[in-house]
């Protein structure tokens, strides 16, 4: 039944039988047969379907909650047995907000130095997407804001407090300043992250606090694009300090602290609440705790 529950979860995540089959590496007829057998075993219809996926029935919604719980428990059992036999090993899937990708790399590097048999997949996602992926068992952990989106029942380890820097080209009129107030950016040619990013929503609130409407002529979900635009000249951007320092290395730009408005926001590692965690995830949370203590 666990295999069929995993098929069911994949169909819900993809909202498409063909894509779900490709995702888990089976044929679409095998997937459809597995879902039908699951429905027969449970004695209910789980999915509305005609020529295509039509969403979940009420019984399907209830089954999804149980499916995630059962599949999560089964994965945990496999992880614990593998750890007892081979030590910590396997694959950890982590999604991070774009401005925290440097911290994701730092955490994974430190963890891998102690546990070289563990491999990592690191994805860039929005804070809302990270919470959804945790719920859907698509990732094992995320690095996101801890004090903005409703987090639900998760395990959290703070990593750092986010503070903001203005990034401008050397020679720009802000270059060399000791600090800049948010109100001084009124009318500037800004390139910023897209509005679906929590970082952008925080930035917008900071501007609103000083009654400034930011004029973002270029928007991107990539901090690389923002930095390249600033370096080309005539543009400024706002980035968290760590991301700004990483991207500014070797580039012809200046970093100036932004002062005033909201207090710093906490960013950290989040994982689904489970007692106990798998050995690998418990070790990752412990390593995040150490890294956060050093920040």
């Amino acid at each position: 039944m666990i295999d069929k529950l995993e098929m069911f979860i994949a169909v819900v995540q993809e909202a498409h039988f063909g894509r779900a089959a490709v995702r888990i590496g089976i044929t679409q007829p095998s997937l459809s047969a597995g879902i039908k057998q699951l429905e027969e075993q449970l004695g209910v219809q789980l999915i509305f379907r005609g020529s295509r996926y039509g969403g979940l029935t009420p019984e399907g919604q209830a089954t999804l909650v149980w499916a995630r719980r059962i599949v999560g428990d089964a994965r945990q059992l496999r992880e614990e047995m593998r750890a007892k036999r081979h030590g910590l090993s396997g694959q950890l899937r982590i999604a991070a907000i774009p401005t925290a990708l440097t911290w994701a790399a730092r955490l994974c590097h430190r963890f891998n130095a102690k546990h070289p048999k563990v491999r990592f997949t690191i994805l860039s996602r929005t804070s809302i997407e990270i919470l959804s992926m945790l719920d859907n068992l698509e990732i094992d952990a995320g690095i996101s804001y801890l004090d903005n989106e409703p987090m639900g029942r998760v395990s959290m380890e703070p990593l750092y407090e986010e503070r903001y820097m203005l990034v401008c080209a050397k020679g720009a009129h802000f270059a060399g300043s000791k600090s800049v107030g948010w109100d001084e950016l009124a009318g500037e040619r800004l390139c910023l992250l897209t509005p679906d990013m929590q970082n952008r929503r925080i930035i917008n609130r900071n501007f609103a606090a000083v009654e400034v409407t930011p004029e973002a002529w270029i928007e991107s979900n990539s901090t690389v694009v923002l930095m390249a635009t600033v370096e080309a000249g005539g543009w400024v951007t706002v980035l968290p300090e760590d991301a700004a320092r990483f991207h500014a290395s070797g580039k012809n730009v200046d970093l100036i602290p932004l002062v005033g408005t909201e207090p710093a926001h906490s960013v950290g590692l989040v994982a689904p609440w489970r007692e106990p965690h798998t050995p690998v995830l418990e070790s990752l949370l412990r390593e995040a705790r150490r890294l956060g203590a050093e920040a």
Side-chain angles (χ1 to χ4, degrees), residues 183-203:
D183 58 329
E184 296 179 65
L185 301 184
E188 291 294 325
R189 297 179 74 208
L190 291 163
C191 50
L192 297 172
L193 288 172
T194 50
D196 61 316
M197 298 287 179
Q198 180 70 324
N199 174 267
R200 173 64 183 279
R201 297 195 288 273
I202 293 170
I203 287 172

Side-chain angles (χ1 to χ4, degrees), residues 126-232:
T126 67
S127 56
I128 294 174
E129 287 172 331
I130 289 170
L131 292 179
S132 175
M133 293 174 80
L134 286 172
D135 283 342
N136 290 330
L137 306 179
E138 295 176 87
I139 55 174
D140 302 296
I143 297 180
S144 185
Y145 294 98
L146 304 183
D147 50 10
N148 284 281
E149 307 288 2
M151 300 300 293
R153 200 176 188 212
V154 295
S155 298
M156 297 187 293
E157 289 295 342
L159 288 170
Y160 65 96
E161 297 289 317
E162 191 173 75
R163 294 175 178 81
Y164 299 99
M165 308 286 283
L166 177 70
V167 187
C168 65
K170 289 187 182 298
H173 66 278
F174 285 121
S177 302
K178 290 185 178 180
S179 63
V180 174
W182 290 85
D183 58 329
E184 296 179 65
L185 301 184
E188 291 294 325
R189 297 179 74 208
L190 291 163
C191 50
L192 297 172
L193 288 172
T194 50
D196 61 316
M197 298 287 179
Q198 180 70 324
N199 174 267
R200 173 64 183 279
R201 297 195 288 273
I202 293 170
I203 287 172
N204 285 349
R205 288 201 299 268
N206 283 331
F207 278 121
V210 293
E211 299 182 347
V212 169
T213 301
E215 299 182 47
W217 294 95
I218 294 179
E219 296 177 324
S220 175
N221 62 359
S222 168
T223 54
V224 173
V225 171
L226 301 185
M227 187 61 73
T229 303
V230 170
E231 192 177 24

Side-chain angles (χ1 to χ4, degrees), residues 6 13 23 71-76 78-79 82 89-96 107-108 111 118-123 125 129-143 153-156 268-274 277-285:
E6 289 183 327
Q13 289 171 349
R23 175 174 176 165
V71 170
D73 286 344
R75 291 179 181 176
Q76 181 172 359
R78 287 194 291 264
E79 289 285 342
R82 182 167 54 195
S89 61
Q91 185 91 13
L92 270 174
R93 303 159 300 166
I94 298 175
L107 175 60
C108 292
F111 188 90
V118 177
R119 300 183 181 186
F120 291 89
T121 298
I122 303 174
L123 305 171
R125 294 291 186 270
E129 287 172 331
I130 289 170
L131 292 179
S132 175
M133 293 174 80
L134 286 172
D135 283 342
N136 290 330
L137 306 179
E138 295 176 87
I139 55 174
D140 302 296
I143 297 180
R153 200 176 188 212
V154 295
S155 298
M156 297 187 293
L269 186 73
V270 294
W273 175 266
R274 188 176 291 275
H277 287 294
T278 65
V280 173
L281 195 51
E282 181 61 41
S283 295
L284 184 69
L285 287 161

